[in-house]
Amino acid sequence: MLDLTYELPKPKVISGAKHDWELVIGLEVHAQVSSNAKLFSGASTQFGAEPNSNVAFVDAAMPGMLPVINEYCIEQAVRTGLALKAQINLSSAFDRKNYFYPDLPQGYQISQLYHPIVGEGEVLVELGNGLARNIRIERIHMEQDAGKSIHDMDPNMSFVDLNRTGVCLMEIVSRPDMRSPEEAAAFVAKLRQIMRYLGTCDGNMQNGNMRADVNVSICRPGQYEKYQESQDFAHLGTRCEIKNMNSMRFIQQAIIVEAERQIKIVEAGGSVAQETRLYDVEKGETRSMRSKEEAHDYRYFPDPDLLPLEIEQAWVDEIAATLPELPDAKKSRFIADFGLSDYDASVLTADVESAAYFEAVAEGRNGKLSANWVINELFGRLKADDKDIANCPVTPAQLGGIIALISADTISGKIAKDLFEIVYSEGGDPAEIVETRGMKQVTDTGAIEAALDKIIADNPAQVEKVKVNPKLAGWFVGQVMKATGGKANPKAVNQLVAQKLGD
Ligand code: ADP
Ligand code: MG
């Protein structure tokens, strides 16, 4: 079982202000569904394609074209909802969100305002040191992405690339439950991890496949508790929404910068205006984009081209039955079955590939030893080489072989590192390499004793020192290891040294 403390972390308090202030953060995460085709057309979603090459007539809003829903996308939203322990709404509907933008040829975005496909859920967010909290999910709705305006290709003209137009997004909306920048980033990271496990979104933030609108407000100590009790937003400060953040680091920076801006305003006697803002990475400040728009500004109405979306409980159950083991469950199982620490289990379950690799190594072997080798030696080596588990030159069977040799006392831990390096760079069967290159541990006490006797005879001064200070006996252990090329069994060496030099 996970040993987690379900308690509220201390909210981030901003220093340097006249009063104490606390942060309140709610996120709207846009996750692009990993589907080959768009939400309402058969056009490809391939990233980096020639501009305007993946555009169906309906994406370009040609007159008379009709949207046809992509069932695969619906399934991915349901899968994501189930993984977030959320209510799946068997009946949902699509609405038109009307606004003009050059990269939106329809003049509206098809979204789900009134009846989203996924309702309330939650996600466990861990903050290290066993501290974890459930962050509430308000809803997940599906919507189309817009295209992209390009302003930096020509001094006089702007261009529009519609490849992204109509690509399926899931918008995952949290409750304002996060209290620090770290927690907000951990929330985004956890969502990304879960969606990668599911395969519903690749979580690639650089490509914009996952991005977050970050809502930030400030309040005096005690106010948030009142909100929690009543769920009345009136206890909270006015929020500003920072749009389109696609880096964990910038999300955290922007939250702090925005909170400081709001504190300055309020402490100077002003009030925060509800706005949509942009984070300027270079200047390290948020800037107003537009005043906050309300639902009625968009004239939302049910899309007359699409029927309400009705799905069956049996289909939802089928999807639920095929969900993979999710990060929390996998982590708990690793702790229980392999005796791992919370930290090691977190590292090893960060992604499915690492977890599968570890399991293959650890199966039938010492779990902790396997975890140490995978995390410290293998991951360390891969990182130094700018590789990852997908192109790892050492198979689980090879690494498992090395670990088996250590456990059987055939090789010492030190030799195992040399062996690992050989397997990593040259390949081969670890047991065979140990055999052919004479790397076996020397457990023959006669040979070790002979080496030790010689060292004692050659170093009378050192022997005298050990008589005064027994702690210095370690020097002899080191010398024996050196003399045997690291192959002497350290246990046997320690015993012999104690026998001969101890009192
Ligand atoms: P909209 O769709 O207009 O942006 P929502 O009611 O859907 O408005 O809320 C958007 C996000 O703002 C949600 O993630 C919510 O948690 C967050 N939020 C609401 N009130 C606050 C607040 N006072 N401080 C911080 N975040 C907030
Ligand atoms: Mg919003």
Side-chain angles (χ1 to χ4, degrees), residues 263-299:
I263 290 167
K264 264 194 206 132
I265 293 173
V266 177
E267 291 201 339
S271 56
V272 174
Q274 194 173 331
E275 277 179 333
T276 302
R277 300 179 70 85
L278 274 184
Y279 180 57
D280 183 327
V281 173
E282 244 120 75
K283 294 203 175 119
E285 61 183 31
T286 66
R287 253 203 319 274
S288 179
M289 226 173 124
R290 52 179 186 252
S291 67
K292 176 69 190 170
E293 60 295 314
E294 303 289 341
H296 61 250
D297 294 324
Y298 289 112
R299 275 198 150 252

Side-chain angles (χ1 to χ4, degrees), residues 27-28 30 97 141 171 173 213-215 239 241 243 276 290 292-293 298:
L27 298 183
E28 297 159 89
H30 298 260
K97 179 181 184 181
H141 57 259
E171 179 167 334
V173 183
D213 298 342
V214 182
N215 296 272
R239 73 180 197 267
E241 177 179 2
K243 273 281 180 203
T276 302
R290 52 179 186 252
K292 176 69 190 170
E293 60 295 314
Y298 289 112

Side-chain angles (χ1 to χ4, degrees), residues 354-372:
S354 302
Y357 188 102
F358 166 75
E359 273 205 273
V361 171
E363 198 53 56
R365 304 203 172 91
N366 181 322
K368 272 187 191 158
L369 186 61
S370 301
N372 282 344

Side-chain angles (χ1 to χ4, degrees), residues 38-351:
K38 296 182 179 180
L39 178 55
F40 297 116
S41 85
S44 166
T45 59
Q46 192 207 336
F47 180 81
E50 175 79 8
N52 297 309
S53 59
N54 294 337
V55 188
F57 287 134
V58 69
D59 303 326
M62 292 295 162
M65 296 297 118
L66 291 173
V68 177
I69 201 158
N70 180 341
E71 181 180 328
Y72 183 81
C73 292
I74 307 297
E75 185 182 335
Q76 304 321 304
V78 171
R79 278 164 69 77
T80 306
L82 287 169
L84 302 183
K85 305 186 188 97
Q87 159 88 33
I88 305 297
N89 295 323
L90 299 181
S91 183
S92 65
F94 289 94
D95 304 298
R96 286 187 181 178
K97 179 181 184 181
N98 300 281
Y99 61 97
F100 171 81
Y101 218 73
D103 61 18
L104 187 76
Q106 287 174 152
Y108 57 84
Q109 186 186 17
I110 304 178
S111 181
Q112 297 190 302
L113 177 69
Y114 302 109
H115 305 287
I117 185 158
V118 178
E120 291 185 345
E122 62 181 30
V123 51
L124 185 72
V125 173
E126 289 168 65
L127 295 166
N129 305 326
L131 197 62
R133 290 180 60 221
N134 278 315
I135 301 297
R136 293 172 301 162
I137 302 293
E138 183 184 315
R139 59 192 275 154
I140 304 178
H141 57 259
M142 309 180 73
E143 61 185 29
Q144 303 175 292
D145 205 349
K148 195 174 156 202
S149 297
I150 302 162
H151 306 292
D152 56 4
M153 269 177 68
D154 188 282
N156 304 313
M157 283 189 285
S158 283
F159 297 91
V160 173
D161 177 6
L162 297 183
N163 280 351
R164 207 165 197 133
T165 309
V167 164
C168 179
L169 303 179
M170 296 180 281
E171 179 167 334
I172 306 170
V173 183
S174 87
R175 298 279 180 195
D177 283 355
M178 284 151 280
R179 311 303 312 280
S180 71
E182 296 77 20
E183 197 176 9
F187 172 78
V188 175
K190 186 62 178 281
L191 284 183
R192 183 171 62 174
Q193 184 192 26
I194 291 171
M195 290 191 289
R196 282 183 172 166
Y197 265 63
L198 296 167
T200 57
C201 168
D202 69 14
N204 188 331
M205 295 182 84
Q206 249 165 357
N207 290 357
N209 295 355
M210 193 175 166
R211 46 196 200 263
D213 298 342
V214 182
N215 296 272
V216 180
S217 68
I218 51 162
C219 66
R220 300 296 306 276
Q223 290 302 112
Y224 189 80
E225 287 70 20
K226 286 187 192 156
Y227 156 73
Q228 270 188 315
E229 256 164 53
S230 62
Q231 292 300 307
D232 183 352
F233 284 118
H235 294 294
L236 300 179
T238 303
R239 73 180 197 267
C240 282
E241 177 179 2
I242 312 161
K243 273 281 180 203
N244 263 329
M245 304 292 301
N246 66 348
S247 125
M248 304 284 187
R249 193 157 58 91
F250 294 149
I251 286 175
Q252 298 183 65
Q253 287 175 4
I255 289 171
I256 291 291
V257 163
E258 174 58 19
E260 285 171 350
R261 185 189 71 88
Q262 294 180 10
I263 290 167
K264 264 194 206 132
I265 293 173
V266 177
E267 291 201 339
S271 56
V272 174
Q274 194 173 331
E275 277 179 333
T276 302
R277 300 179 70 85
L278 274 184
Y279 180 57
D280 183 327
V281 173
E282 244 120 75
K283 294 203 175 119
E285 61 183 31
T286 66
R287 253 203 319 274
S288 179
M289 226 173 124
R290 52 179 186 252
S291 67
K292 176 69 190 170
E293 60 295 314
E294 303 289 341
H296 61 250
D297 294 324
Y298 289 112
R299 275 198 150 252
Y300 276 98
F301 63 87
D303 192 309
D305 287 342
L306 287 158
L307 288 168
L309 179 60
E310 305 281 348
I311 57 177
E312 282 171 11
Q313 186 61 45
W315 187 57
V316 175
D317 294 343
E318 231 174 84
I319 296 171
T322 62
L323 285 190
E325 183 181 35
L326 292 168
D328 293 339
K330 204 184 273 296
K331 184 177 158 185
S332 299
R333 185 167 61 79
F334 277 16
I335 291 172
D337 289 4
F338 297 107
L340 303 189
S341 67
D342 191 280
Y343 176 80
D344 284 357
S346 290
V347 174
L348 291 169
T349 54
D351 58 82

